[in-house]
């Protein structure tokens, strides 16, 4: 059993879904079903999910909320509050579109429902939320998951959550173009209040452990940048890992993915790798082991050791896997000169977004102000920050008090 990781928590849901409910009424003159799905953090285990490895995510107190109800028309209409934009499509033909891009997250989900034989009827849908986009908190997975859950619930198809997770991931692959692993959708759908979990991305077995937030906080520092190579480089990393597996398999046919590779195996075929593939494989194999070791740190209640592993992960992501950027590297480096920081690293796909920091509660204020000041000084950009607490995954929002 894992000992609680001691971190600060604030138990509240921020997003005001009443406004979304009223917007829906105003636009479509009917009462919507409301579904929320949270963003996620990942304590450790980055770029391991699509290598069949281990991750340690949790759902957070920021949601994407979807309002939905049937429509009597032959087409369906989507409305994004954030973009103040409508999009309509023939319900039986949810084609991928070049604009607006936000619609593709939903269209992909509809496509997969239909392909799986579910008779989707026309609907109206309104989308809003407070998961920052481009921040590496998986606003896209949160959108896919809340919509998939809402579409399912509206039609009473009764599709199991695991299937909805896979549908959401399919939408990301085929309608958004990012060949993501399973972590984000899984965390958004399956998160638990006050808990993180270790997920085995091969078997999809998972176990929750409590994150007791008394001593430390989880603070996310948002670089406010998202470099444009993010999705193309992401897909390239995935291909590089597959190339690595091919090379290792020539000597070790039992290796089905980097999850199965060991440092010795890699060492024994090191002269067969070309380009950066060796470094990519070394990172993934190390990171998988790090997640397992980090889980033991938590079991022992050794947050210092856990924090050190966060730094080691960052070094690997920056130097071997090459998915960091100057802004992220700067924030992680700066954290080392700040009191009360146990660990810091870039989080998520990379090339921008947030760092995740484990900070002693008493030092949180001064940590944030020091980081913000030095970031502003260096990049002339105002850093955003989020002190997160852990929440339940995708769920219906009770609207009975609104009716
Ligand atoms: C993105 C992807 C995830 C995962 C992370 C990196 O968030 O969507 O599947 O690969 O990057 O760990």
């Amino acid at each position: 059993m894992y000992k609680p990781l001691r971190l600060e928590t604030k138990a509240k849901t921020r997003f005001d879904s009443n406004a979304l409910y009223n917007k829906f009424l105003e636009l479509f003159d009917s009462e919507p079903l409301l579904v929320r799905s949270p963003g996620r953090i990942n304590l450790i285990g980055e770029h391991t999910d699509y290598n069949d490895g281990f991750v340690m995510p949790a759902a957070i107190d920021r949601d994407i909320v979807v309002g939905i109800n049937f429509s009597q028309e032959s087409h369906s209409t989507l409305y994004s509050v954030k973009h103040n934009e409508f999009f309509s499509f023939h319900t039986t033909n949810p084609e991928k579109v070049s604009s607006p891009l936000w619609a593709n997250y939903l269209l992909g989900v509809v496509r997969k429902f239909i392909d799986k034989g579910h008779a989707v009827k026309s609907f109206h849908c309104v989308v809003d939320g407070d998961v920052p986009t481009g921040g590496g908190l998986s606003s896209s997975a949160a959108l896919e998951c809340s919509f998939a859950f809402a579409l399912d619930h509206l039609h009473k198809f009764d599709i199991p959550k695991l299937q909805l997770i896979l549908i959401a991931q399919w939408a990301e692959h085929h309608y958004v173009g990012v060949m993501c692993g399973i972590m984000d959708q899984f965390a958004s759908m399956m998160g638990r209040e006050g808990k993180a979990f270790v997920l085995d991305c091969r078997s999809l077995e998972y176990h929750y452990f409590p994150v007791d937030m008394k001593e430390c906080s989880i603070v996310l520092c948002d670089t406010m940048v998202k470099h444009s190579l993010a999705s193309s480089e992401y897909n390239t990393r995935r291909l590089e890992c597959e190339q690595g597996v091919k090379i290792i398999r020539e000597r070790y046919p039992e290796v089905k993915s980097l999850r199965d590779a060991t440092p010795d195996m890699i060492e024994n075929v090191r002269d067969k790798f070309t380009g950066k593939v060796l470094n990519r494989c070394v990172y993934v194999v190390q990171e998988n082991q790090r997640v397992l070791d980090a889980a033991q740190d938590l079991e022992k209640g050794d947050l210092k050791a856990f924090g050190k592993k966060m730094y080691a992960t960052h070094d690997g992501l920056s130097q071997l896997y090459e998915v960091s950027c100057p802004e992220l590297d700067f924030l992680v480096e700066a954290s080392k000169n700040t009191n009360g920081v146990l660990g810091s690293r870039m989080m998520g796909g990379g090339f921008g977004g947030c760092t995740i920091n484990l900070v002693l509660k008493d030092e949180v204020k001064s940590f944030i102000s020091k980081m913000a000041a030095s970031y502003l000084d260096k990049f002339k950009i105002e850093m955003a920050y989020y002190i997160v607490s852990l929440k339940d995954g995708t769920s219906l929002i009770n609207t009975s008090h609104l009716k």
Side-chain angles (χ1 to χ4, degrees), residues 224-292:
M224 305 302 280
V225 300
K226 181 83 189 166
H227 295 292
S228 56
L229 4 116
S231 52
S232 62
E233 285 294 308
Y234 184 93
N235 292 346
T236 305
R237 290 299 170 281
R238 195 168 174 151
L239 289 175
E240 287 168 333
C241 291
E242 284 167 17
Q243 282 170 25
V245 171
K246 264 196 195 149
I247 290 163
I248 302 166
R249 269 176 82 105
E250 280 169 21
R251 171 118 177 231
Y252 301 100
E254 68 273 27
V255 171
K256 304 273 179 284
S257 64
L258 286 181
R259 152 76 173 273
D260 306 313
T262 64
D264 280 351
M265 288 177 179
I266 292 183
E267 198 46 45
N268 293 341
V269 295
R270 84 178 281 134
D271 53 340
K272 304 268 189 273
F273 292 107
T274 52
K276 306 276 187 159
V277 174
L278 172 65
N279 283 355
R280 310 304 190 227
C281 294
V282 168
Y283 164 75
V284 172
V285 170
Q286 287 177 349
E287 179 71 351
N288 259 330
Q289 188 57 47
R290 238 185 325 260
V291 180
L292 299 176

Side-chain angles (χ1 to χ4, degrees), residues 40 42 45-50 55 136 138 140-141 169 172 178-185 234 283 317 346-350:
R40 63 103 189 89
N42 185 22
E46 219 64 89
H47 288 272
T48 44
D49 59 352
Y50 54 84
V55 292
S138 296
S140 48
Q169 186 196 29
E172 184 84 27
V178 179
M179 295 305 293
C180 64
I182 197 74
M183 170 171 72
D184 301 349
Q185 290 79 9
Y234 184 93
Y283 164 75
L317 287 166
M346 58 150 280
M347 188 179 74

Side-chain angles (χ1 to χ4, degrees), residues 5-60:
L5 175 60
R6 298 200 166 272
L7 300 160
E8 182 204 5
T9 187
K10 271 192 255 146
K12 64 172 185 181
T13 300
R14 299 152 174 276
F15 184 73
D16 173 17
S17 39
N18 296 3
L20 190 141
Y21 186 90
N22 291 330
K23 186 77 192 171
F24 195 102
L25 267 178
E26 174 200 320
L27 292 174
F28 300 118
D29 201 20
S30 75
E31 287 172 350
L33 186 85
L34 292 192
V35 173
R36 56 163 283 282
S37 199
R40 63 103 189 89
I41 53 164
N42 185 22
L43 293 172
I44 199 158
E46 219 64 89
H47 288 272
T48 44
D49 59 352
Y50 54 84
N51 289 298
D52 278 353
F54 302 97
V55 292
M56 205 187 272
I60 59 169

